[in-house]
Amino acid sequence: MDTVVHTAYGKVRGSVKDGIRSYLGIPYAAPPFGARRFAPPGPPDPWDGVRDATSFGPTAPKPGYPSPYNVLLPDPEIPGEDCLNLNIWAPEGDGLPVMVWIHGGAFRNGSGSVAVYNGANFARDGVICVTINYRLGVEGFAYLPGAAAPANRGLRDQIAALTWVRDNIAAFGGDPGNVTVFGESAGGMSVSALLSLDLGLFRRAIAQSGAGNVAQTPDDALLVTKEIAARLGVEPTAEGFAALDPDTIMPVQTAVSQEVAALPDPGRWGASTASTGMALIPVVDDDLLARRPEEAVADGAGRDVDLLVGYTAEEFRLFLFPTGLAGAITPELVGVSAAGLGAPPSVVAAYRAAHPELTAGELLATLITDALFRVPANRLAEGHAGRTWMYEFGWRSPIDGLGACHALELGFVFDNLGAPDTIELAGENPPQALADVMHKAWVDFATHGDPGWRAFDPDERPVKVFDGGRNPVVFDPRGEDRRRW
């Protein structure tokens, strides 16, 4: 089997395992360093000869996860400047459907080389799978007014990767007219943002645990930029940050991000930042992202793209229970924390009355799950004028306290239950039957545009619930809570 492929920039040689070709670390844009730091992504430099593509390329600059998330969410760091790269897993054939994965990590962690994202099992089932890196944190998302540093550099990287796929994927056997972009968490939020832009670069979109509610106003984004710059002793400009290497910026970026997450105070950080609990996110810049994605979609953006959108039933348990923080939450803190994330006092009171069996920590997890993930997913589905499907991942991990938490579905979607990150979240023996069902739904959606259950409508709200049992379609699950918003 010949593994040499001609791309627009030069030849690459991959490897073969079990009949699947893989091509790793292919640059889709120039290294974002030196004169190109904080600039829009530019094309990679062409190369002579055959480039080796048998190992993952460098990852974007990022901090490590703090304990225990460094174990729960393994996140490899690979040094080097050529970090705007992608990976491809492809079966033999031509005209194959293509899936392009955008990783999560709160816009400051993650990469396309995380073990659970290995795309070989999508390729096994007839779909070319592509995973990408993009700029993170200050490098990708800090708002730096001025022509030299456009906003949303990380989103622009994603668009550059999708453009590379459009122009090159046929050489690997893919159909550039049948591309599905999919992602989880920050990746799902990115998918929703890309959906709202009518780019013409993909036919279908899957937003996992990330809908269209995440975008900062420029004024709020600048509060974060100025705080990071002040602590570093530089001007809040591209020139100021460019005087420091990313490793110098990273500890301060991390400290500010942790403060925003721990106390999302609208008075200090602005409502559009506090409502997400994330410091560095896409910005409404009147250039690329003219308004919040869910608003643009509600006005008809993305109507030509098929959409699959969903969430896990207990998303926020991942952020409260592994650290023991859930046990320290008091009833008073529930209201304070929920208010910062945009939950009105009336909603908090209604949840307290409706769920008297929940501890304060469990109640906060439920409120934030709905505020950040479930309700926005419903809003995106309601507003989307094209064909839409909804899902909920409801299988509960046997790991104490996690429940059906954020990121738990990843091993099932990729059918990679043996990956280290899957085992840390799902235990040693997660149900393969559930992975079979869920992975097939993603493959069918990418291939045929139908994941296998009834399409969403705002009246009956059919939602496929992946619970590891019968995996039923449920009409408006927990509708009373949803209506409280």
Side-chain angles (χ1 to χ4, degrees), residues 33 44 48 57 103 112 139 162 254 264 373 401 411:
F33 295 92
D48 296 323
H103 68 79
E139 305 296 315
L162 286 165
T254 298
F373 301 101

Side-chain angles (χ1 to χ4, degrees), residues 52-408:
D52 181 78
T54 58
S55 59
F56 289 113
T59 53
K62 57 185 175 175
Y65 280 117
S67 178
Y69 299 102
N70 58 334
V71 175
L72 292 171
L73 303 170
D75 191 9
E77 293 186 40
I78 304 172
E81 293 193 348
D82 216 352
C83 61
L84 298 184
N85 59 66
L86 52 76
N87 313 296
I88 300 171
W89 290 266
E92 284 297 296
D94 292 302
L96 300 170
V98 181
M99 299 183 76
V100 179
W101 175 254
I102 302 178
H103 68 79
F107 297 102
R108 62 179 186 267
N109 284 93
S111 75
S113 54
V114 171
V116 74
Y117 305 152
N118 184 298
N121 289 335
F122 277 112
R124 174 199 66 197
D125 296 326
V127 176
I128 291 179
C129 183
V130 182
T131 68
I132 70 171
N133 294 345
Y134 56 96
R135 278 174 283 184
L136 303 167
V138 166
E139 305 296 315
F141 292 96
Y143 184 57
L144 304 169
N152 300 307
R153 295 173 298 280
L155 286 180
R156 294 172 192 271
D157 293 344
Q158 296 166 12
I159 294 169
L162 286 165
T163 303
W164 189 98
V165 168
R166 180 197 64 192
D167 296 343
N168 291 278
I169 204 63
F172 296 85
D175 177 0
N178 189 12
V179 173
T180 297
V181 62
F182 69 137
E184 184 265 350
S185 193
M189 297 165 194
S190 298
V191 167
S192 299
L194 297 171
L195 174 71
S196 76
L197 299 178
D198 285 322
L199 298 167
L201 292 173
F202 49 89
R203 184 174 180 180
R204 303 185 178 98
I206 305 174
Q208 301 172 213
S209 301
N213 56 316
V214 173
Q216 286 171 312
T217 66
D219 287 345
D220 290 354
L222 198 54
L223 291 174
V224 174
T225 299
K226 288 181 175 178
E227 182 66 22
I228 295 174
R231 296 189 191 187
L232 288 166
V234 300
E235 290 297 311
T237 62
E239 294 78 12
F241 282 104
L244 305 175
D245 61 50
D247 287 343
T248 301
I249 296 170
M250 210 70 68
V252 174
Q253 171 190 300
T254 298
V256 171
S257 296
Q258 288 174 342
E259 290 175 28
V260 172
L263 188 60
D265 180 3
R268 183 177 184 193
W269 304 111
S272 65
T273 302
S275 65
T276 70
M278 293 182 288
L280 295 158
I281 60 177
V283 179
V284 176
D285 62 349
D286 294 324
D287 177 16
L288 181 68
L289 198 64
R291 51 186 165 160
R292 282 173 47 157
E294 66 182 13
E295 296 169 3
V297 169
D299 279 348
R303 66 170 62 246
D304 296 328
V305 176
D306 299 336
L307 173 65
L308 174 59
V309 58
Y311 51 89
T312 72
E314 299 171 298
E315 299 266 11
F316 213 72
R317 279 180 168 262
L318 179 65
F319 305 103
L320 294 181
F321 283 82
T323 59
L325 184 60
I329 299 294
T330 64
E332 293 74 23
L333 283 174
V334 171
V336 172
S337 298
L341 290 161
S346 59
V347 171
V348 177
Y351 270 64
R352 278 198 178 109
H355 303 286
E357 76 285 0
L358 298 181
T359 66
E362 290 169 337
L363 179 62
L364 183 60
T366 301
L367 275 162
I368 300 180
T369 292
D370 286 1
L372 292 187
F373 301 101
R374 189 165 75 93
V375 171
N378 272 272
R379 288 176 181 154
L380 190 67
E382 289 168 10
H384 184 236
R387 300 195 311 158
T388 309
W389 288 262
M390 279 200 78
Y391 77 89
E392 173 180 305
F393 186 82
W395 180 78
R396 305 192 83 234
S397 170
I399 307 298
D400 187 40
L402 288 181
C405 70
H406 192 70
L408 182 60

Side-chain angles (χ1 to χ4, degrees), residues 97 178 203-204 306 387 389 440 442-451:
N178 189 12
R203 184 174 180 180
R204 303 185 178 98
D306 299 336
R387 300 195 311 158
W389 288 262
K440 183 178 185 299
W442 265 235
V443 168
D444 288 347
F445 182 72
T447 304
H448 309 297
D450 185 347

Side-chain angles (χ1 to χ4, degrees), residues 72 393 395-399 402-403 405 407-409 411-412 416-417 419-431:
L72 292 171
F393 186 82
W395 180 78
R396 305 192 83 234
S397 170
I399 307 298
L402 288 181
C405 70
L408 182 60
E409 89 283 10
F412 297 87
N416 283 334
L417 297 187
D421 14 10
T422 303
I423 293 169
E424 292 296 336
L425 290 177
E428 293 285 347
N429 296 296

